[in-house]
Amino acid sequence: MKQTETTRRGFLGTTAALGAVGLIPSWTTAVFAQTGGTLRLRIGRDNNVLDPGFMTGNSEIEAQKQCLPFLAQYTRDGETFTWEPTYFVTKLEQRDATHIDFELAEGLQWSNGYGPVTASDVKYSYERMKETDWSGYFDALDHVEATSERTGTIVLNKPFAPFIMITLCHGPGAVLSEKAMADAGGKFTTKFPAVCGPYTYEATPGQRAVFSANPDWNGPKPAFERVECNVITEIKAAELAFEAGELGCTRVGADTLARYTKDMPDGAGIAVAGELQYMWMGMNTQHPKLQDIRVRQAIQHAVDVDTILQGAYSGTTAKSYGIICPGLIGQRDSAGYSYDPEKARALLAEAGVSGLELTLRTLNNQERMLTAQIIQANLAAVGITLNVLPLDSGPFWEMGQESKGETWKELELWLMRFGTTPDPYEASQWFTSNQVGVWNWERWTDEEFDRLYEEGINETDPQARHDIYVRMQEIMDNTGAYVWINHEPEAFVHSSGVTVNAAPSGELNYRRFAKG
Amino acid sequence: MSENRSESETGILAVDVSGLSDHVTDAETRESAARERREKLRMFLTNWQGLTGLILVAVFFASAIFAPWLAPYDPNALDVPARLSGPTLDHLAGTDQLGRDTLSRILFGGRVALKIAAIGVSVALTVGLILGMIAGFGPRWLDSLLLLVFDTVRSFPTIVLALATVALTGPSLAVVLAIVIITSIPQYARVARTATLTLRNTDFILAERSLGASMTRTLLHHVMPNVVGPLLILAAMDVPVVVTVEAGLSFLGLGVTPPTASWGTILNEGYLVIRDAPWMVIAGGIPLILTTLGFTFLGEALRDIFDPRMGKGR
């Protein structure tokens, strides 16, 4: 009998041959499948804290939307978003500038024997939020009055027009069972103490979160009996999984969005959730190298944003002119500067600066790294040497916060993207004077900006609000601390057998998905 | 001629005992050495793997050294309108997301690999050799201490060590180099130590010591020449490891920083657009594969020649 021996050389040779074969390009034919009543999706990480008061957000909000009651939900109104009452209420009305009346639907029951959903649960949930990590969303809340078992009134401490849109529709607006929370010790992490919604929740860390039909739910049945959210960290891996028919829907990156827009795979569609994200390059106005406003203005003029949109985002994103996103009150169509390398050189010469070397910090992902390299080339063209420092999300999100160390003192330039809700107030709150060293990493203060911020909250006339937010962005431009880059949409590719429902900030709401 | 050959950890130690052969004339010794060299050269020239390896390694060195003259474009010059264009006569390996010429970036990426391999391996070899000889020839407590250090360093997985270091210092070529050196030293040191331990009680070393030679002189003039040969072969085998470590770290974003071209960053950028522009991954992967194979074949062939007992079939 012939014996086959594996030798080191044989192994090397075989591996080389297999590697060469592997390099031959192959394209799989995309197969999209929805098996029975199961929808398979992707989440980027495990849900570590489901408690609305202490969550990180994103997929945790998605889980809350399936398992907990909300009083309001987003709905599209043409190109913009507005709100509507959910199934959980029979009434949600703004009686006057500071009072919102609600009436809960009949027959809503908490799981695990915690009885009906009551107005006092709403009172407990919202008043509790004022003491949590997400308290900023409830600054305007004074208290909640429970007038009967199912009715109550949300009382604001000042007129705050966007309260329903940015608070009640979003993750922090989730209602919890007061009794279940008491039994859970007032907080929870990866397991809901009680659910009231179409799905129950169970997760296996590092693998998946599974939403199964809730046997106690007597409201409208969702389109899919079971939703499996697989933990897939890499967005590219998720895209391949979708094309292989393993996922029914997943978020896609800019280059894939461009490819699909040009050549959509059979049986697939694209859903764009909204462009409620704003990205910019920030500059630390207090850093010795950047204290001279002419240097900052030179950098504003040196960066070719149009090239960034093409090179890093494949032309799939909207050019930004400030913090207010497309479709919102206060959005601008131009910034206070333009790409002009000659002017940049002149400003640097006027400031007497030469041989300037700066460091740009950015998250280490494809689009940001490409953006950074274009900026690097742009600044080199006007005589500024730029070192790019890619960072993981942990150190990146802490670097400008005074409470997290001393890195904020060394910050020079950085690429930043914030997400927002469908009201301009939310985006403007991070740049007030009291945010210096928290989220205002550019570290400027302006009394007029702070005053306008308060006026924007209280103002109800749309035109007046528009003028306020436009002026606030002009003030930001004038600091020279910002190069506005883009508003990136949250885009999802999905099987044509699935109709996607997503919040404007990009969270999916599986209970509102439809078939076909 | 007497022969006193001992086997090291890798079994490739050859001992130089020419100094003890008083009865052999110089002419005979020279003739014997020349005959041995001719035999080894003949063995090498008839070994197709060795020749292939030598050619691949030569191409690697030449393309890296002469990259500024061979590259058709500035590797960092952006041409966004021409982004992700396929292989053409103008751009033989196509362009990347920013319209940079992939071939030029591959050639310049070879310089990074060469720099890491040359500096990393030579420093690790030198330090490992010195520490290994000290461990093998020094007092027992020092040997134990150094062994503990070697084993501790070896117990850290390279990537985990890289992640921790980069988290503290940020990514850079210097960090990659430091990681390569630190993680490579123990393997050279261990081989050098074993070989030194074998030599320390041989007749010619004992004779040298009894004549009053210092430890430094003994190590430099008598131990090192007998230990360095196997280490050089080990170094040739280690180069592909170092090249792939650099590429791996750069692939993960832990290596060189933009806009420096590295095979790892080219692969990373290519992987992200593999469905749109597969030529980036192919063009970035081929030099990595060929260089790795080249050094491996060359190292294997050298080992066969300098230690015939490590023959085929191993």
Side-chain angles (χ1 to χ4, degrees):
Chain A
M1 195 175 101
K2 189 180 174 186
Q3 209 170 6
T4 306
E5 285 186 1
T6 304
T7 64
R8 181 181 164 85
R9 288 179 186 80
F11 175 76
L12 280 171
T14 308
T15 307
L18 288 174
V21 170
L23 286 173
I24 298 169
S26 63
W27 288 266
T28 54
T29 305
V31 177
F32 306 104
Q34 292 309 314
T35 53
T38 299
L39 173 67
R40 289 191 295 273
L41 305 172
R42 172 237 181 191
I43 50 176
R45 58 176 175 81
D46 284 320
N47 295 325
N48 295 319
V49 182
L50 296 167
D51 188 331
F54 304 94
M55 64 182 171
T56 303
N58 204 274
S59 59
E60 288 156 354
I61 292 176
E62 292 180 0
Q64 292 157 7
K65 295 267 170 122
Q66 317 318 310
C67 302
L68 298 174
F70 283 76
L71 304 190
Q73 63 190 17
Y74 295 115
T75 183
R76 264 194 185 275
D77 181 12
E79 287 303 303
T80 60
F81 282 89
T82 181
W83 66 271
E84 64 183 13
T86 62
Y87 167 81
F88 296 92
V89 289
T90 49
K91 174 183 163 187
L92 184 66
E93 285 176 6
Q94 182 122 25
R95 191 197 320 159
D96 58 37
T98 56
H99 290 80
I100 301 166
D101 296 326
F102 66 88
E103 181 179 39
L104 294 168
E106 265 185 284
L108 299 174
Q109 290 288 328
W110 290 111
S111 64
N112 302 333
Y114 283 107
V117 179
T118 63
S120 72
D121 287 332
V122 177
K123 177 181 171 64
Y124 164 78
S125 302
Y126 292 174
E127 291 181 358
R128 167 184 183 266
M129 288 299 288
K130 288 178 76 72
E131 309 301 324
T132 66
D133 290 352
W134 289 68
S135 60
Y137 281 77
F138 288 84
D139 274 348
L141 177 72
D142 189 79
H143 66 282
V144 179
E145 288 173 12
T147 50
S148 75
E149 190 178 57
R150 290 192 295 110
T151 60
T153 301
I154 298 166
V155 182
L156 305 182
N157 53 31
K158 59 186 172 185
F160 184 44
F163 187 78
I164 295 177
M165 275 288 277
I166 71 156
T167 304
L168 298 190
C169 290
H170 201 40
V175 177
L176 302 168
S177 163
E178 186 176 6
K179 287 178 195 164
M181 286 296 286
D183 288 351
K187 265 186 177 184
F188 62 98
T189 54
T190 55
K191 196 172 177 188
F192 291 110
V195 301
C196 176
Y199 291 111
T200 59
Y201 175 86
E202 204 163 321
T204 309
Q207 294 182 22
R208 65 185 63 83
V210 177
F211 297 87
S212 306
N214 180 358
D216 299 333
W217 175 245
N218 51 16
K221 296 288 178 198
F224 294 92
E225 261 186 45
R226 178 183 163 91
V227 180
E228 282 181 17
C229 295
N230 298 285
V231 178
I232 305 174
T233 312
E234 277 284 324
I235 196 167
K236 290 289 163 193
E239 290 167 4
L240 288 172
F242 173 79
E243 295 191 15
E246 292 298 318
L247 297 178
C249 170
T250 184
R251 182 174 278 118
V252 293
D255 57 318
T256 304
L257 176 59
R259 177 159 58 87
Y260 285 168
T261 304
K262 212 185 304 175
D263 182 19
M264 184 68 69
D266 292 338
I270 288 282
V272 177
E275 294 170 323
L276 296 187
Q277 302 184 98
Y278 49 104
M279 180 172 157
W280 72 95
M281 182 175 74
M283 301 176 223
N284 182 354
T285 57
Q286 292 180 358
H287 193 280
K289 291 179 182 175
L290 293 161
Q291 272 177 339
D292 189 331
I293 191 170
R294 291 170 297 188
V295 175
R296 302 198 297 270
Q297 288 170 334
I299 293 171
Q300 284 182 320
H301 287 293
V303 177
D304 183 0
V305 175
D306 290 327
T307 296
I308 292 172
L309 301 189
Q310 285 305 317
Y313 290 90
S314 306
T316 58
T317 62
K319 190 172 181 177
S320 173
Y321 302 105
I323 57 174
I324 308 299
C325 299
L328 303 190
I329 288 171
Q331 197 211 355
R332 302 190 301 172
D333 55 9
S334 65
Y337 57 85
S338 58
Y339 174 53
D340 188 348
E342 280 305 319
K343 194 166 182 182
R345 286 188 202 97
L347 280 163
L348 286 173
E350 190 183 317
V353 172
S354 63
L356 183 61
E357 186 170 343
L358 296 168
T359 298
L360 173 70
R361 294 167 196 245
T362 175
L363 276 174
N364 188 8
N365 66 37
Q366 182 193 12
E367 288 88 3
R368 307 286 175 90
M369 289 303 290
L370 291 172
T371 300
Q373 290 180 72
I374 294 171
I375 293 172
Q376 189 177 44
N378 290 159
L379 294 191
V382 299
I384 299 173
T385 302
L386 188 69
N387 302 310
V388 176
L389 183 55
L391 296 167
D392 287 331
S393 60
F396 179 84
W397 288 106
E398 292 180 353
M399 65 188 183
Q401 298 190 50
E402 290 179 15
S403 62
K404 301 285 172 64
E406 301 291 308
T407 313
W408 61 272
K409 292 177 182 169
E410 302 159 15
L411 270 188
E412 294 171 1
L413 308 178
W414 59 94
L415 285 174
M416 178 60 94
R417 190 184 80 175
F418 281 177
T420 185
T421 53
D423 190 275
Y425 141 81
E426 207 276 345
S428 62
Q429 68 178 311
W430 312 114
F431 303 96
T432 52
S433 302
N434 60 6
Q435 285 289 323
V436 171
V438 185
W439 290 111
N440 180 352
W441 295 358
E442 290 79 14
R443 307 184 68 80
W444 55 273
T445 58
D446 186 278
E447 285 180 9
E448 185 189 359
F449 188 93
D450 293 349
R451 181 172 51 76
L452 289 170
Y453 166 72
E454 293 295 336
E455 287 178 20
I457 292 174
N458 300 330
E459 182 59 62
T460 52
D461 177 59
Q463 184 56 48
R465 289 192 90 205
H466 173 84
D467 295 342
I468 287 170
Y469 290 112
V470 165
R471 176 61 193 146
M472 289 172 84
Q473 289 171 95
E474 286 171 358
I475 292 169
M476 295 177 84
D477 275 358
N478 294 339
T479 64
Y482 299 90
V483 177
W484 307 115
I485 295 175
N486 66 356
H487 300 289
E488 189 177 0
E490 287 286 5
F492 300 89
V493 62
H494 59 88
S495 155
S496 53
V498 174
T499 303
V500 172
N501 182 283
S505 43
E507 295 90 13
L508 295 174
N509 195 350
Y510 325 137
R511 68 159 58 158
R512 297 176 72 191
F513 274 39
K515 286 182 177 173
Chain B
M1 190 173 89
S2 68
E3 185 175 353
N4 185 2
R5 193 190 295 272
S6 302
E7 187 171 342
S8 72
E9 270 187 350
T10 53
I12 50 176
L13 177 64
V15 177
D16 177 1
V17 293
S18 56
L20 296 177
S21 306
D22 296 334
H23 63 286
V24 179
T25 66
D26 287 349
E28 284 174 324
T29 306
R30 279 199 298 274
E31 175 60 25
S32 171
R35 203 165 43 240
E36 194 177 340
R37 279 199 298 273
R38 280 197 300 276
E39 175 60 16
K40 284 176 177 173
L41 181 63
R42 188 196 62 76
M43 285 173 68
F44 185 81
L45 291 175
T46 54
N47 183 326
W48 71 268
Q49 281 189 336
L51 280 177
T52 308
L54 183 66
I55 292 167
L56 291 174
V57 168
V59 169
F60 165 64
F61 273 100
S63 63
I65 291 166
F66 299 109
W69 295 275
L70 294 172
Y73 298 92
D74 175 349
N76 301 326
L78 308 189
D79 183 11
V80 171
R83 67 193 295 268
L84 296 179
S85 65
T88 61
L89 285 177
D90 286 340
H91 299 285
L92 291 175
T95 60
D96 67 7
Q97 295 100 316
L98 298 178
R100 296 173 295 199
D101 182 59
T102 306
L103 176 61
S104 304
R105 290 182 68 73
I106 286 166
L107 289 168
F108 275 86
R111 290 169 77 85
V112 172
L114 177 63
K115 192 186 291 182
I116 292 285
I119 299 175
V121 171
S122 57
V123 172
L125 186 149
T126 308
V127 176
L129 174 64
I130 293 167
L131 291 178
M133 289 194 303
I134 291 171
F137 217 82
R140 190 168 179 79
W141 66 266
L142 185 59
D143 182 30
S144 302
L145 179 68
L146 286 170
L147 269 184
L148 183 67
V149 173
F150 299 154
D151 291 343
T152 305
V153 173
R154 278 175 73 102
S155 68
F156 280 107
T158 306
I159 297 295
V160 174
L161 183 63
L163 282 167
T165 312
V166 167
L168 291 172
T169 63
S172 71
L173 196 61
V175 169
V176 175
L177 204 50
I179 289 163
V180 162
I181 291 169
I182 290 167
T183 55
S184 301
I185 285 174
Q187 62 174 336
Y188 294 109
R190 271 192 156 275
V191 172
R193 170 188 170 273
T194 310
T196 308
L197 279 175
T198 313
L199 287 168
R200 68 182 289 173
N201 292 321
T202 53
D203 292 344
F204 75 103
I205 295 292
L206 291 173
E208 181 76 12
R209 296 286 283 168
S210 64
L211 289 171
S214 68
M215 188 174 98
T216 309
R217 180 184 162 79
T218 309
L219 286 176
L220 290 179
H221 292 272
H222 298 283
V223 176
M224 195 170 79
N226 286 300
V227 171
V228 76
L231 288 190
L232 287 174
I233 297 169
L234 195 61
M237 303 285 284
D238 203 28
V239 168
V241 177
V242 170
V243 169
T244 46
V245 164
E246 185 280 319
L249 291 177
S250 294
F251 182 87
L252 295 172
L254 307 176
V256 298
T257 52
T260 308
S262 142
W263 293 343
T265 54
I266 292 168
L267 279 175
N268 177 268
E269 289 163 2
Y271 152 74
L272 295 168
V273 291
I274 193 167
R275 307 300 297 275
D276 299 308
W279 54 86
M280 274 183 70
V281 168
I282 295 170
I286 284 174
L288 194 56
I289 291 169
L290 293 182
T291 304
T292 306
L293 278 180
F295 276 102
T296 306
F297 284 165
L298 184 63
E300 290 271 348
L302 291 175
R303 185 147 82 168
D304 287 350
I305 291 162
F306 287 101
D307 186 1
R309 287 172 303 167
M310 305 294 294
K312 302 272 182 189
R314 182 180 166 84

